[in-house]
Amino acid sequence: MKHGKYRFIAGFLVLPLAIYAIFVISPFVQAIYYSLTDWTGLSPDMKMVGFDNYARLFQDEVFWSAVGNSVTLLLLLPVVTLSLGLFFAFMLNVGGRRRKKAVIGGVRGSGAYKILYFFPQVLSVPIVALLFQFAYNPESGALNAFFDAIGLDGVQPDWLGDPQIALWCVMAAMVWANVGFYVVLFSAGMSSIPKDFYEAALLDGANRFNTFFRITLPLLWDTVQTGWIYMGILALDVSAFAFVQIMSVGPGGPDYSTEVLPLYVYQKTFRDGQAGYATAIGVSLLIVTLVFSAVVMRLGRRERLEF
């Protein structure tokens, strides 16, 4: 009977595993192979160059600029986005207090606020990037016009043209575009936490700060950890590429101040015709992503709380 059961299970797994191997594992293997060649991406002709592409990475200053910018996004974007998402979700669900003493509820108009926060999710990434690009325009943008309106006409930064602040401007757009999703996600998690927990804590004299760190955050930890990994991958992947490609000067500038790894892969492949070298950069990006995910899973490991 056991052998028959195993054959029955294996019969159902063969097709899904075959599809997974063809469409997921196979591209990774091909990418590693191409990274060891001098393939231009425009011709089927190529020859093996071994680890020359990887050795070249250590001498490539633009690559290291892209690594630094990507790591900056990787470290800060999840922190800022998830922190704002948790704060807004907490205020919308348990940050207010109703008329009856010690009864927990969200702030007034929380339903409307959720719609307002989620609105950027309705817009596509190119639309959000273009909106912020217009706002950052040094001559006709909304930000400099606001400074001029309040009498700070001497403060007219070239937001996307200044190497010192260009990356932060792009990051601000990415935060605005993503924080609404986490407000809704964390709100859904908080709504499942029994209100009795909060009421008991308030009766014992706990304030909002204590209830957040003693009740809300521990019970939402699995959701926060998943969101952290997702935001980290987003900071290293397509979203960072799209925002930098559309918003930055160059793109990737000025002076490579907004260059990120996905954009550098694109430039080396389609602009410079160095697909083999670009694939080596992509493999490096894969390694950074895997290391980040492993570190977050390791540091965030804790005993699961149930209620």
Side-chain angles (χ1 to χ4, degrees):
M1 286 295 293
K2 284 187 176 181
H3 294 295
K5 181 180 70 174
Y6 292 148
R7 283 195 297 268
F8 178 77
I9 295 174
F12 277 98
L13 291 178
V14 167
L15 182 59
L17 289 176
I19 295 175
Y20 184 81
I22 293 172
F23 292 103
V24 179
I25 302 300
S26 176
F28 283 114
V29 176
Q30 292 180 46
I32 294 173
Y33 170 74
Y34 289 138
S35 71
L36 302 175
T37 69
D38 65 349
W39 184 40
T40 64
L42 304 174
S43 168
D45 299 329
M46 66 182 78
K47 67 178 181 180
M48 294 293 295
V49 296
F51 291 97
D52 289 354
N53 288 330
Y54 293 96
R56 179 181 168 188
L57 292 177
F58 291 97
Q59 309 298 325
D60 190 342
E61 294 183 1
V62 179
F63 168 75
W64 288 109
S65 295
V67 170
N69 294 331
S70 291
V71 171
T72 299
L73 290 177
L74 178 64
L75 295 178
L76 297 182
L77 186 62
V79 173
V80 177
T81 305
L82 296 184
S83 297
L84 289 175
L86 281 168
F87 173 76
F88 291 139
F90 184 77
M91 295 303 296
L92 294 179
N93 287 272
V94 295
R97 182 174 297 180
R98 297 174 183 172
R99 294 180 181 178
K100 294 181 180 180
K101 188 177 180 180
V103 175
I104 297 300
V107 297
R108 290 179 181 269
S110 57
Y113 284 124
K114 288 179 183 178
I115 297 174
L116 181 64
Y117 290 140
F118 191 75
F119 175 73
Q121 294 295 309
V122 180
L123 304 176
S124 64
V125 169
I127 295 298
V128 174
L130 286 173
L131 288 174
F132 273 83
Q133 186 183 50
F134 294 148
Y136 287 137
N137 189 298
E139 297 179 359
S140 59
L143 287 176
N144 283 353
F146 171 76
F147 288 140
D148 185 58
I150 62 176
L152 296 177
D153 51 318
V155 181
Q156 298 287 309
D158 186 2
W159 298 97
L160 296 175
D162 187 343
Q164 301 297 322
I165 61 175
L167 184 64
W168 305 107
C169 294
V170 174
M171 189 185 304
M174 296 178 69
V175 170
W176 186 85
N178 290 283
V179 71
F181 171 79
Y182 291 98
V183 172
V184 175
L185 178 66
F186 294 144
S187 293
M190 291 179 191
S191 64
S192 65
I193 300 175
K195 293 294 189 294
D196 295 345
F197 291 3
Y198 294 106
E199 294 173 7
L202 290 177
L203 289 173
D204 288 339
N207 55 30
R208 300 297 180 181
F209 182 86
N210 290 330
T211 56
F212 175 79
F213 284 100
R214 300 282 185 173
I215 298 176
T216 305
L217 189 58
L219 293 177
L220 282 182
W221 186 251
D222 289 343
T223 305
V224 173
Q225 186 181 41
T226 302
W228 199 292
I229 295 174
Y230 179 77
M231 275 304 303
I233 294 175
L234 183 144
L236 292 172
D237 208 348
V238 178
S239 183
F241 163 79
F243 276 100
V244 173
Q245 171 75 359
I246 295 170
M247 293 180 61
S248 64
V249 178
D255 195 25
Y256 303 110
S257 59
T258 59
E259 190 78 38
V260 290
L261 287 173
L263 178 63
Y264 197 41
V265 171
Y266 171 83
Q267 291 171 338
K268 283 300 177 183
T269 303
F270 298 102
R271 184 191 66 186
D272 301 336
Q274 301 177 16
Y277 182 59
T279 309
I281 301 172
V283 173
S284 303
L285 177 60
L286 170 64
I287 294 173
V288 172
T289 304
L290 292 176
V291 170
F292 167 75
S293 300
V295 169
V296 171
M297 292 295 292
R298 178 65 179 175
L299 296 179
R301 183 180 301 174
R302 59 184 297 171
E303 184 178 352
R304 182 180 179 86
L305 298 177
E306 298 182 356
F307 54 91

